[in-house]
Amino acid sequence: MKFEEMSRLKAEELRKQETVRILSLETSCDETAAAVIENGRRIVSNVVFSQIDLHELYGGVVPEIASRAHMEACDRVIDEALKGAGMKLGEIDALAVTKGPGLVGALLTGVNCMKGLAFAAGKPLVGVNHIEGHVSANYLTHPELEPPFLCLVVSGGHSHLVEVADYGVYRLIGQTADDAAGEAFDKAARVLGLPYPGGPRIDALAEEGNPDAFALPKPKTAGRYDYSFSGLKTAFINTVHGIEQRGEPLPKADLAASFRKAVCSELMDKAERVILEQAAGDGKGAFAMAGGVSANRELRRTAQAMCSRRKVKLYMPEIPLCTDNGAMIGSAAYYRLMRGEVADLRMNAEPALRLL
Ligand code: KG4
Ligand code: ZN
């Protein structure tokens, strides 16, 4: 039987099965990560191998180094995920892999690895959108969460406000016109001389600083629910250069705290606006956050304050599930598998894949 036909038939059977276990792999950027997930909601095992040490020297992710490191780590990370679950590959029902968006070479490594494994083991394979994975991290932390809900997706490449109308059904409400929130944090960190990745470092430093020490401009955007962070970033760079030109020492903690506050209040102001103005069409009283930046302490506090003010229920992935991991890919894959959306062997990496 051809792989495509086998996949389709097995997926059909799995829809009737009580417990479905997926082995998932994520290699879109600089984390090689694998997990075993049950019914899209329960983490059986979750292994993340970070390449940060390899890229730190260069101040950012070097694509060629990332691809090579994924290639070297894939098998080991998958073995560890299976071992952690106490399972053999034969006990896994389906496989899943991130197909985009991300670095093409990094994605290709994962896609090829899982295509080979699926073919050899005769298991159906699901290709997953990385951003949908981030959204799905919420299903792992909050097994009671179901669509519809409003979701702020904030990662290294995205600052989106989306309505999750149903599993796999999204409506774009707002997006950034320029830099993503994570990108803005990383650039601001670089200006302060902090090592890569900058977001978590700015966050930690900001905890000791005064968020009102420096006034930064409120971004202007064309759309009511859109974002823009490049003006804020330029204003921040100018402030830092001004201090340096005066020969004064940089009050790094105050600068980090002021920048973090400006970004977080902008992110949350627009989310609050949607909640106030789109009461009927939005997430019916549920607000979720997803992506690396949702690990930010100030953003989590600001979200809590906004949601209690507006009497909206807040959902956030636990911190280790905010940044890239394999578990979120396994969760997203489950709902695609239940709809019979399986990949064939022509599946390719899609570096510019969109959520909607
Ligand atoms: O979601 P993610 O792990 O990868 C992408 O899909 O892009 O997000 C990575 C981004 C980076 O820009 C990183 O600096 C940022 O998320 N980030 C943070 C924090 N943790 C990660 N930004 C601000 N505060 C944090 N605590
Ligand atoms: Zn990510």
Side-chain angles (χ1 to χ4, degrees):
M1 197 189 302
K2 280 183 74 176
F3 178 81
E4 284 72 19
E5 202 184 336
M6 176 281 300
S7 273
R8 207 176 35 75
L9 291 175
K10 284 207 173 158
E12 197 68 34
E13 280 169 31
L14 289 175
R15 289 164 77 164
K16 296 175 221 140
Q17 194 170 302
E18 199 174 319
T19 308
V20 175
R21 294 185 185 91
I22 295 181
L23 170 68
S24 51
L25 180 69
E26 150 65 36
T27 66
S28 69
C29 191
D30 59 347
E31 256 96 31
T32 318
V36 174
I37 302 298
E38 215 171 79
N39 291 350
R41 297 277 172 165
R42 194 174 85 81
I43 299 178
V44 187
S45 68
N46 186 27
V47 179
V48 180
F49 169 68
S50 170
Q51 304 177 1
I52 284 179
D53 296 354
L54 298 177
H55 302 286
E56 195 171 351
L57 184 65
Y58 307 96
V61 180
V62 183
E64 288 80 2
I65 295 178
S67 312
R68 187 179 293 258
H70 284 307
M71 205 130 63
E72 284 164 7
C74 265
D75 290 354
R76 181 167 47 80
V77 169
I78 289 172
D79 278 349
E80 275 179 39
L82 283 171
K83 207 186 273 172
M87 295 170 83
K88 300 241 178 304
L89 185 58
E91 295 166 83
I92 295 291
D93 297 301
L95 306 180
V97 65
T98 308
K99 66 174 177 182
L103 301 168
V104 65
L107 289 165
L108 260 178
T109 311
V111 166
N112 284 337
C113 170
M114 286 314 238
K115 277 206 291 200
L117 201 57
F119 185 72
K123 310 266 180 205
L125 176 63
V126 183
V128 176
N129 180 310
H130 180 81
I131 303 305
E132 182 167 82
H134 276 302
V135 173
S136 306
N138 283 291
Y139 300 138
L140 297 167
T141 302
H142 308 283
E144 75 285 7
L145 174 64
E146 299 216 31
F149 56 90
L150 176 68
C151 189
L152 173 66
V153 184
V154 270
S155 68
H158 293 77
S159 294
H160 281 175
L161 270 166
V162 296
E163 181 197 337
V164 182
D166 201 345
Y167 295 104
V169 182
Y170 305 93
R171 183 170 73 91
L172 181 67
I173 294 178
Q175 64 183 326
T176 181
D178 38 61
D179 293 9
E183 206 179 340
F185 271 118
D186 292 340
K187 286 181 184 163
R190 197 175 295 183
V191 176
L192 293 182
L194 302 174
Y196 159 85
R201 316 249 184 188
I202 279 226
D203 192 18
L205 193 59
E207 290 292 296
E208 290 140 40
N210 172 11
D212 300 314
F214 296 93
L216 293 165
K218 186 102 192 110
K220 288 193 179 62
T221 56
R224 277 189 76 62
Y225 311 125
D226 287 337
Y227 293 116
S228 165
F229 293 109
S230 84
L232 196 53
K233 183 190 66 192
T234 307
F236 181 76
I237 294 171
N238 290 342
T239 305
V240 171
H241 286 170
I243 298 169
E244 283 171 340
Q245 274 160 9
R246 292 196 296 277
E248 296 165 10
L250 279 183
K252 289 190 183 180
D254 287 350
L255 284 161
S258 303
F259 185 76
R260 183 178 71 166
K261 184 184 173 187
V263 173
C264 294
S265 63
E266 172 64 3
L267 287 171
M268 216 42 66
D269 284 356
K270 297 289 169 67
E272 186 165 19
R273 194 179 272 182
V274 176
I275 286 168
L276 285 173
E277 296 178 3
Q278 296 210 0
D282 73 7
K284 309 225 172 11
F287 175 63
M289 297 205 297
V293 182
S294 63
N296 188 278
R297 282 168 263 196
E298 174 68 9
L299 189 65
R300 292 170 87 91
R301 289 191 288 259
T302 317
Q304 256 145 5
M306 187 277 279
C307 287
S308 68
R309 191 163 60 238
R310 297 299 164 205
K311 309 222 168 359
V312 163
K313 188 137 175 42
L314 171 64
Y315 297 91
M316 303 184 277
E318 56 187 303
I319 306 265
L321 295 179
C322 289
T323 43
D324 292 350
N325 63 84
M328 67 186 200
I329 302 303
S331 173
Y334 173 77
Y335 296 98
R336 299 238 160 236
L337 183 67
M338 288 302 108
R339 290 199 299 276
E341 291 179 31
V342 286
D344 62 37
L345 292 175
R346 286 168 305 181
M347 175 169 64
N348 206 348
E350 292 181 56
L353 183 66
R354 296 175 61 94
L355 183 66
L356 68 186

